[in-house]
């Protein structure tokens, strides 16, 4: 059965499967990790804990991205936009797998609150989709713009010698810029006040919590 003939129930079941894989499974990347081009660096315990905290935030961000795209795709009005959102979600799966692998290398773990982050982000994505494809795509544009800025901040905060984490975040940032551009081209609108500010505030809360928990 192809994506054009999936019933709402089929999409619901597929969404549940994706949710379980995102928060409790071991997602597989379709692309090789950018970290493979670099050797592991020599970091002391404090530097490794800091790098792990940053990568845990980024892993949680990718959990949220999966949920947002899944919620938006489930209720997208047009099939072309649904396909676009699902393609972007697949690339975010690469990011999720890369971050998960890097956390293991740093002897750390994902956020214990990932199921909560996923559920909340899915609801937000579904609500954006209900507002119509231009708003939903606009939500993608604003989300990816904020993620791009947040990744730039993390690139500055990583231990200078942590080239493996840096390579992952650099590729993620390039992908997010492209996702924002593609959503804008497809008709994404600028979100009205105060939505961008609220999105930024919720992101700050997530980052503060996920760094430690």
């Amino acid at each position: 059965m192809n994506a054009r003939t999936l019933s709402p129930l089929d999409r619901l079941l597929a969404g549940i499967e994706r949710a379980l894989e995102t928060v409790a499974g071991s997602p597989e990347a379709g692309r090789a990790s950018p970290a493979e081009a670099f050797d592991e660096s020599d970091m002391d315990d404090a530097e490794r804990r800091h790098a792990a905290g940053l990568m845990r935030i980024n892993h949680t961000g990718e959990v949220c991205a999966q949920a947002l795209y899944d919620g938006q795709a489930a209720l997208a009005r047009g099939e072309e936009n649904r396909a676009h959102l699902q393609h972007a979600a697949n690339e975010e799966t690469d990011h999720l797998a890369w971050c998960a692998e890097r956390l293991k290398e740093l002897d750390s773990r994902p956020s214990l609150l990932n199921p909560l982050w996923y559920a909340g982000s899915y609801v937000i994505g579904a609500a954006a989709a209900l507002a119509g494809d231009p708003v939903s795509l606009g939500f993608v544009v604003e989300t990816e713009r904020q993620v791009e800025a947040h990744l730039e901040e993390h690139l500055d905060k990583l231990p200078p010698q942590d080239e493996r984490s840096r390579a992952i975040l650099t590729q993620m940032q390039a992908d997010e810029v492209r996702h924002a551009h593609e959503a804008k081209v497809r008709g994404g609108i600028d979100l009205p006040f105060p939505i961008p500010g609220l999105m930024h505030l919720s992101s700050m809360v997530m980052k503060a919590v996920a760094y430690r928990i």
Side-chain angles (χ1 to χ4, degrees), residues 101-179:
E101 180 181 14
R102 186 61 185 144
L103 280 170
K104 289 180 181 178
E105 293 172 352
L106 294 167
D107 300 318
S108 193
R109 53 155 180 79
S111 171
L112 299 175
L113 299 179
N114 276 346
L116 178 62
W117 303 127
Y118 186 97
S121 297
Y122 188 95
V123 170
I124 292 171
L130 287 174
D133 284 347
V135 172
S136 184
L137 291 167
F139 198 86
V140 172
V141 173
E142 183 61 32
T143 297
E144 301 293 27
R145 283 175 178 169
Q146 294 193 18
V147 171
E148 177 194 355
H150 136 79
L151 289 171
E152 186 66 33
E153 175 187 344
H154 278 200
L155 285 167
D156 290 337
K157 288 184 175 180
L158 277 173
Q161 69 272 38
D162 188 3
E163 294 180 316
R164 289 178 69 84
S165 297
R166 190 175 307 280
I168 291 170
L169 298 191
T170 298
Q171 184 58 58
M172 286 169 56
Q173 187 180 47
D175 290 343
E176 309 302 7
V177 169
R178 178 166 46 79
H179 292 166

Side-chain angles (χ1 to χ4, degrees), residues 88-106:
N90 289 338
E91 290 197 342
E92 300 290 351
T93 301
D94 288 350
H95 301 173
L96 186 67
W98 298 342
C99 288
E101 180 181 14
R102 186 61 185 144
L103 280 170
K104 289 180 181 178
E105 293 172 352
L106 294 167

Side-chain angles (χ1 to χ4, degrees), residues 37-72:
F38 299 91
D39 294 329
E40 186 61 76
S41 56
D42 185 17
M43 293 185 283
D44 61 31
D45 289 345
E47 289 172 329
R48 289 182 71 84
R49 284 195 301 271
H50 179 56
L54 295 178
M55 294 308 292
R56 182 161 44 252
I57 291 172
N58 290 301
H59 182 272
T60 294
E62 295 307 321
V63 168
C64 293
Q66 285 285 304
L68 285 168
Y69 278 123
D70 287 346
Q72 289 174 284

Side-chain angles (χ1 to χ4, degrees), residues 66-85:
Q66 285 285 304
L68 285 168
Y69 278 123
D70 287 346
Q72 289 174 284
L75 298 178
R77 306 284 178 87
E79 287 298 330
E80 287 189 4
N81 278 333
R82 178 176 290 112
H84 165 73
L85 291 163

